[in-house]
Amino acid sequence: MDDDERDHLKLPKCTNNLATALLTDAYQITMAYAYYKNQKHEQHASFDLIFRKNPFNGEFTIFAGLEEALKFVSNFKFTRADVEYLRQCAFASAMDEEFFDEYLLKLDCSEVVIEANLEGSVVFPRVPLLHVTGPLGVAQLLETTLLTMINYASLVATNAARHRLTAGDDIELLEFGLRRAQGVDGGVSASRYAYVGGFDATSNCEAGRQFGIPVKGTHAHSFVQAHSRWEDIKCGTLKYGLEPAAGLTHQICPDFPKLVRQTLDDLRQSLSNSQQFAFGETNESELIAFCAYALAFPKTFLALIDTYDTLKSGTPNFVAVALALRACGYSPLGVRIDSGDLSYLSLTIRKFLEEAETCFVSSNKLVEYNDDMKEGNTQSGYPEVFAKGLAKKTKITASNDINETVLRELKQSGHSIDAFGIGTALVTCMAQPALGCVYKLVEIDEKPRIKLSEDVDKVTIPGKKQCFRLYGKIGEPIVDVMIRKGEKIPEVNERILCRHPFLEGKRAFVTPAKVEKLLLTAWDGPNGGCPIEFYQTLGLEKSRERVKEQVKLMRADHLRYTNPTPYKVSVSDGLYTFTHQLWLDNLPARELS
């Protein structure tokens, strides 16, 4: 069969080369051997990969990591080197040689079937993210790797989505966390799944290369500190941009540093009568650094302005360079602040820009070049019309240990920030370091199994299930419901009784206006791999768009920051009755004396 005629695909290898068959816990190998030794390894088994509680004290989670998980399953295989390593492990000393040669070396996922939610979906506790079916041995060996691929990815994507919700759609969010991430893979994975969750760009060049995420960044404080003399600028000429100043016929500004100094003096004079924004001497080395950076990046100039004094030095120095660039036909991007009271600073900086623009334009002066700068031109200088739009077009970026709480407080207190660079709190998920997904056996040889616990939250819902999302008349999700295999599937406009999995008194009838099937076949080993129709749902941009779409569908009270309303997750009446009977059947009766 030609490739274009196939309806199932084998997927490429995982992005991370560490995602091998050995990326597992030792007890998975020992259990697999015990299954093999007792001839149970070929029994048909089903596992649910679920989580028990939404993270960050919220009431929703974003499902992520599926594409990489499917790539792992598609390429799952123990190599000869893997097996030789396992033979040397202490826990393997009692294992038969044939387990390695006749079982592990021949193992793959050609008999495994995986049903999954779409990546980027909004998901809820207890509803399986993945349902894995196949021979007990191989299905067991997939556990640890699937968990590590889903847990962190979903946690970061959820964290990013919450930051996006708090910031609003009009704010640019930049992921700046590589230097604070938990290792190399943590950094790259965080960049990927922060983008899925709603961030606009990353500072991580490797993540940009691998995944096509937009990469953004500016200079650090060290760049400003590294400059002290105007002689540090070896070439001060600047070619004019696409819109050179009116009245200038030459194509090159011969001495941009001089233009910057003159502009700063003119700015100081223009603001001399301002009661709020009159300023004295600024830090000259900072001005030199800004000038050097502008010469290097005239089209994308963005300055970090808090190295010495944000308002007294950094802001006027930036404005001087920005106005000089605008006179040369460029549009500087803006400023970044990395310390201090972000609300007060951003509002004050914006007011300074407005005042500078007003005063500079109204002064109607020209900055004159000296004879040695004219290069034979009879006209020189630039009209102050190039100050127009300065306040509106200058972006203010903040990056001072930003987290979800800070974003919320800034929104409440007011600010003039256009973009946030967020690092540590995002990539480390500081507010909650783990999601807590688990992988539980729910069926063996088509016989449902249940795990019991004194903690009801840890009791599993047995058997292979079908899962559906029921929508109300106005298009909002009402409830997720799980039903037993073989039960009648929910239908539009047909009433169904939905019950809390464990609390007898919590139940409600629902007549859905729309029914959405949640678990779709994502990997079909017996038929050759990932079904084409599911493969077409994969991809970073598709997952990112799905997050946006699904979050917008949710009721506001489910998404709110404080005391969000829990979303209802239920079971059918049939599954409720079956679960509780199996619970009684497996719970030993106590002896009283």
Side-chain angles (χ1 to χ4, degrees), residues 372-493:
D372 61 340
M373 298 172 65
K374 293 181 181 179
E375 294 188 341
N377 292 283
T378 58
Q379 296 179 344
S380 64
Y382 66 91
E384 312 314 12
V385 69
F386 277 87
K388 288 183 177 179
L390 176 70
K392 184 177 181 180
K393 293 184 178 180
T394 298
K395 287 189 174 182
I396 300 176
T397 301
S399 56
N400 181 26
D401 290 331
I402 310 294
N403 56 42
E404 189 181 352
T405 301
V406 171
L407 289 176
R408 185 166 178 264
E409 291 173 349
L410 283 169
K411 182 179 284 189
Q412 291 175 339
S413 61
H415 66 84
S416 189
I417 299 168
D418 302 286
F420 290 97
I422 305 177
T424 308
L426 175 67
V427 303
T428 67
C429 296
M430 188 181 294
Q432 180 175 324
L435 177 57
C437 287
V438 294
Y439 188 83
K440 296 299 180 183
L441 180 71
V442 294
E443 193 172 270
I444 187 86
D445 283 342
E446 298 188 351
K447 295 179 180 179
R449 306 297 297 160
I450 188 171
K451 176 196 175 294
L452 299 180
S453 172
E454 292 185 7
D455 183 351
V456 175
D457 286 340
K458 292 188 176 183
V459 175
T460 59
I461 300 174
K464 186 172 182 180
K465 297 167 283 291
Q466 296 185 80
C467 305
F468 300 90
R469 183 159 294 168
L470 308 185
Y471 291 78
K473 292 180 180 179
I474 62 174
E476 294 176 336
I478 297 174
V479 61
D480 285 6
V481 60
M482 293 172 275
I483 69 173
R484 293 190 70 193
K485 182 173 61 176
E487 277 194 274
K488 188 178 185 302
I489 291 174
E491 294 185 12
V492 172
N493 296 327

Side-chain angles (χ1 to χ4, degrees), residues 284-361:
E284 189 174 42
S285 63
E286 180 181 59
L287 183 66
I288 296 168
F290 288 176
C291 187
Y293 201 74
L295 284 164
F297 299 100
K299 295 180 180 179
T300 57
F301 176 62
L302 194 151
L304 179 60
I305 61 172
D306 69 335
T307 304
Y308 300 114
D309 189 297
T310 301
L311 297 180
K312 294 179 181 179
S313 180
T315 300
N317 278 341
F318 163 78
V319 172
V321 176
L323 287 172
L325 280 174
R326 289 168 70 87
C328 294
Y330 297 98
S331 295
L333 294 183
V335 301
R336 178 163 72 96
I337 46 180
D338 193 46
S339 60
D341 185 332
L342 300 180
S343 174
Y344 170 75
L345 289 175
S346 65
L347 291 169
T348 306
I349 290 167
R350 188 71 69 192
K351 288 179 181 177
F352 184 97
L353 293 168
E354 292 169 352
E355 183 106 351
E357 179 180 339
T358 300
C359 293
F360 218 58
V361 171

